[in-house]
PDB file of all heavy atoms in Angstrom:
ATOM      1  N   GLY A 147       1.158  -4.925   3.228  1.00  0.00           N
ATOM      2  CA  GLY A 147       0.040  -4.158   2.702  1.00  0.00           C
ATOM      3  C   GLY A 147      -1.171  -4.072   3.625  1.00  0.00           C
ATOM      4  O   GLY A 147      -2.275  -3.782   3.177  1.00  0.00           O
ATOM      5  N   MET A 148      -0.967  -4.294   4.917  1.00  0.00           N
ATOM      6  CA  MET A 148      -2.087  -4.188   5.850  1.00  0.00           C
ATOM      7  C   MET A 148      -2.464  -2.721   6.023  1.00  0.00           C
ATOM      8  O   MET A 148      -1.621  -1.835   5.894  1.00  0.00           O
ATOM      9  CB  MET A 148      -1.698  -4.771   7.219  1.00  0.00           C
ATOM     10  CG  MET A 148      -1.503  -6.268   7.231  1.00  0.00           C
ATOM     11  SD  MET A 148      -0.912  -6.872   8.832  1.00  0.00           S
ATOM     12  CE  MET A 148      -2.428  -6.851   9.771  1.00  0.00           C
ATOM     13  N   SER A 149      -3.712  -2.486   6.342  1.00  0.00           N
ATOM     14  CA  SER A 149      -4.135  -1.122   6.643  1.00  0.00           C
ATOM     15  C   SER A 149      -3.631  -0.763   8.033  1.00  0.00           C
ATOM     16  O   SER A 149      -3.262  -1.633   8.827  1.00  0.00           O
ATOM     17  CB  SER A 149      -5.657  -1.020   6.595  1.00  0.00           C
ATOM     18  OG  SER A 149      -6.212  -1.704   7.704  1.00  0.00           O
ATOM     19  N   TYR A 150      -3.638   0.523   8.339  1.00  0.00           N
ATOM     20  CA  TYR A 150      -3.230   0.960   9.667  1.00  0.00           C
ATOM     21  C   TYR A 150      -4.143   0.335  10.722  1.00  0.00           C
ATOM     22  O   TYR A 150      -3.684  -0.076  11.783  1.00  0.00           O
ATOM     23  CB  TYR A 150      -3.321   2.483   9.772  1.00  0.00           C
ATOM     24  CG  TYR A 150      -2.206   3.232   9.077  1.00  0.00           C
ATOM     25  CD1 TYR A 150      -1.825   2.946   7.778  1.00  0.00           C
ATOM     26  CD2 TYR A 150      -1.534   4.255   9.725  1.00  0.00           C
ATOM     27  CE1 TYR A 150      -0.827   3.639   7.148  1.00  0.00           C
ATOM     28  CE2 TYR A 150      -0.522   4.960   9.105  1.00  0.00           C
ATOM     29  CZ  TYR A 150      -0.167   4.651   7.811  1.00  0.00           C
ATOM     30  OH  TYR A 150       0.831   5.334   7.189  1.00  0.00           O
ATOM     31  N   GLN A 151      -5.430   0.270  10.422  1.00  0.00           N
ATOM     32  CA  GLN A 151      -6.373  -0.286  11.384  1.00  0.00           C
ATOM     33  C   GLN A 151      -6.120  -1.775  11.606  1.00  0.00           C
ATOM     34  O   GLN A 151      -6.210  -2.265  12.732  1.00  0.00           O
ATOM     35  CB  GLN A 151      -7.806  -0.044  10.934  1.00  0.00           C
ATOM     36  CG  GLN A 151      -8.194   1.423  11.065  1.00  0.00           C
ATOM     37  CD  GLN A 151      -9.596   1.709  10.599  1.00  0.00           C
ATOM     38  OE1 GLN A 151     -10.034   1.180   9.599  1.00  0.00           O
ATOM     39  NE2 GLN A 151     -10.287   2.573  11.333  1.00  0.00           N
ATOM     40  N   GLU A 152      -5.820  -2.496  10.549  1.00  0.00           N
ATOM     41  CA  GLU A 152      -5.535  -3.922  10.692  1.00  0.00           C
ATOM     42  C   GLU A 152      -4.263  -4.134  11.510  1.00  0.00           C
ATOM     43  O   GLU A 152      -4.214  -5.007  12.381  1.00  0.00           O
ATOM     44  CB  GLU A 152      -5.402  -4.586   9.323  1.00  0.00           C
ATOM     45  CG  GLU A 152      -6.698  -4.663   8.549  1.00  0.00           C
ATOM     46  CD  GLU A 152      -6.509  -5.068   7.098  1.00  0.00           C
ATOM     47  OE1 GLU A 152      -5.476  -4.722   6.487  1.00  0.00           O
ATOM     48  OE2 GLU A 152      -7.423  -5.728   6.570  1.00  0.00           O
ATOM     49  N   ALA A 153      -3.231  -3.336  11.235  1.00  0.00           N
ATOM     50  CA  ALA A 153      -1.981  -3.456  11.978  1.00  0.00           C
ATOM     51  C   ALA A 153      -2.199  -3.083  13.448  1.00  0.00           C
ATOM     52  O   ALA A 153      -1.672  -3.741  14.347  1.00  0.00           O
ATOM     53  CB  ALA A 153      -0.898  -2.581  11.349  1.00  0.00           C
ATOM     54  N   ALA A 154      -2.988  -2.037  13.687  1.00  0.00           N
ATOM     55  CA  ALA A 154      -3.274  -1.621  15.066  1.00  0.00           C
ATOM     56  C   ALA A 154      -4.001  -2.732  15.814  1.00  0.00           C
ATOM     57  O   ALA A 154      -3.679  -3.020  16.978  1.00  0.00           O
ATOM     58  CB  ALA A 154      -4.109  -0.342  15.056  1.00  0.00           C
ATOM     59  N   ALA A 155      -4.963  -3.360  15.156  1.00  0.00           N
ATOM     60  CA  ALA A 155      -5.692  -4.460  15.797  1.00  0.00           C
ATOM     61  C   ALA A 155      -4.746  -5.632  16.078  1.00  0.00           C
ATOM     62  O   ALA A 155      -4.818  -6.247  17.144  1.00  0.00           O
ATOM     63  CB  ALA A 155      -6.855  -4.904  14.913  1.00  0.00           C
ATOM     64  N   ALA A 156      -3.865  -5.924  15.141  1.00  0.00           N
ATOM     65  CA  ALA A 156      -2.941  -7.054  15.314  1.00  0.00           C
ATOM     66  C   ALA A 156      -1.967  -6.808  16.464  1.00  0.00           C
ATOM     67  O   ALA A 156      -1.607  -7.744  17.186  1.00  0.00           O
ATOM     68  CB  ALA A 156      -2.168  -7.307  14.021  1.00  0.00           C
ATOM     69  N   LEU A 157      -1.529  -5.556  16.635  1.00  0.00           N
ATOM     70  CA  LEU A 157      -0.559  -5.248  17.677  1.00  0.00           C
ATOM     71  C   LEU A 157      -1.210  -4.748  18.970  1.00  0.00           C
ATOM     72  O   LEU A 157      -0.514  -4.517  19.961  1.00  0.00           O
ATOM     73  CB  LEU A 157       0.454  -4.211  17.161  1.00  0.00           C
ATOM     74  CG  LEU A 157       1.348  -4.695  16.019  1.00  0.00           C
ATOM     75  CD1 LEU A 157       2.212  -3.559  15.497  1.00  0.00           C
ATOM     76  CD2 LEU A 157       2.215  -5.861  16.472  1.00  0.00           C
ATOM     77  N   GLY A 158      -2.528  -4.537  18.931  1.00  0.00           N
ATOM     78  CA  GLY A 158      -3.238  -4.111  20.131  1.00  0.00           C
ATOM     79  C   GLY A 158      -2.921  -2.694  20.570  1.00  0.00           C
ATOM     80  O   GLY A 158      -2.842  -2.417  21.766  1.00  0.00           O
TER      81      GLY A 158
END
Side-chain angles (χ1 to χ4, degrees):
M148 291 175 78
S149 71
Y150 284 49
Q151 288 179 319
E152 291 169 327
L157 295 175

